[in-house]
Amino acid sequence: MVANAYQPTDSETWENLGDRWDAHDSFGWAEDGIRGHVFADADNTTVVVAIKGTSSTFFLGGGSETSARDKFNDNRLFSCCCAYVDFTWATVCDCHMSGSKCNATCLQDAMNDETSDNYFFAAAQIFMDVVTQYPRANIVFAGHSLGGAVAGLLGITFGLPAVGIEAPGDRMASKRLHLPVPPAGAAGRVPLFHVGHTADPVYMGVCSGRTSTCYYAGYAMESRCHNGQQLVFDTVAQRGWRVDMRHHRINEVIYLALEPWGITDPEERMPTLEPEDKDCVDCGLWKFVYEDSPQ
């Protein structure tokens, strides 16, 4: 479903989901912003909202009409401070103060601006439309990459299951959006799941800094901490893969990492579902200053 979110329903590369699921509705395909599909089972008791991730030649999934807005949302959601990396970068908001100091109040205001092509708020409106159309259905959010992070943010907001595949760290964005936080000790019971593997630099939070491929493509992918629970396939240790942006592609994730796991090599064991790392820190070298606090 998350692979199909990248393509229209009449695409020649559409993934066959079998008889159980059907793409009942689609959203965003006439526009240049958030896109995806709504899948439902035969009696409409379970509905999956699949959200497209970033379309970019950099991510090797191919560019599209949405590439510019996808990139804007990547840099808004996953950068430390408005995608300010150095003086050569064009920022997505004006909250950088100096050096590694950022105006946190400005940053939160910018993140909560519903009129600035913010995919989170657009996706929330799509969810409300889906609820109206399927009032008795069990709704699940899903997505890959940027789409997986947005799915996770929706799951936290509405208390519904969400599955992200190779999504960037979403914890920092959820805090800046002031989304609900599960009570202490309850994180393992939240139906929010992130699936990824260790050779994907975006999922692992290592596609940052001046030597990274993200830097050269203008993506400030600086977050690394995830909400919810994680299922991590160690393709580096068990497959000998190198960390490489090519391993972020959804088709490679499905057909080279997840689907053959434990089949081609019986020694490969399924990873266990682990709760979020409470000690994980995003943007530890930055100082965030609130306007109502001393400098």
Side-chain angles (χ1 to χ4, degrees), residues 4 7-12 14 22-26 29 36-37 39:
N4 283 340
Q7 53 196 334
T9 54
D10 59 355
S11 171
E12 294 182 356
W14 182 265
D22 187 28
H24 280 206
D25 296 283
S26 301
W29 292 92
H37 302 290
F39 298 92

Side-chain angles (χ1 to χ4, degrees), residues 100-116:
S100 295
K101 183 184 290 186
C102 186
N103 186 325
T105 305
C106 167
L107 194 58
Q108 292 181 8
D109 290 343
M111 283 283 287
N112 286 276
D113 182 0
E114 298 184 30
T115 65
S116 62

Side-chain angles (χ1 to χ4, degrees), residues 2 6 34 51-54 73-74 77-78 119-120 123 141-157 162-174 177 179 192-195 202-203 221 223 225-227 248:
V2 298
Y6 282 90
I34 191 169
I51 304 169
K52 183 185 77 67
T54 300
N73 277 271
D74 281 322
L77 291 170
F78 312 123
Y119 280 7
F120 169 72
F141 304 110
H144 166 257
S145 190
L146 169 62
V150 173
L153 296 174
L154 292 174
I156 293 175
T157 302
V163 179
I165 309 294
E166 306 294 344
D170 58 344
R171 188 188 302 177
M172 180 170 66
S174 69
L177 288 164
L179 302 186
L192 170 57
F193 309 97
H194 283 290
V195 180
V202 172
Y203 179 72
M221 309 297 287
S223 63
C225 305
H226 293 85
N227 289 314
H248 182 68

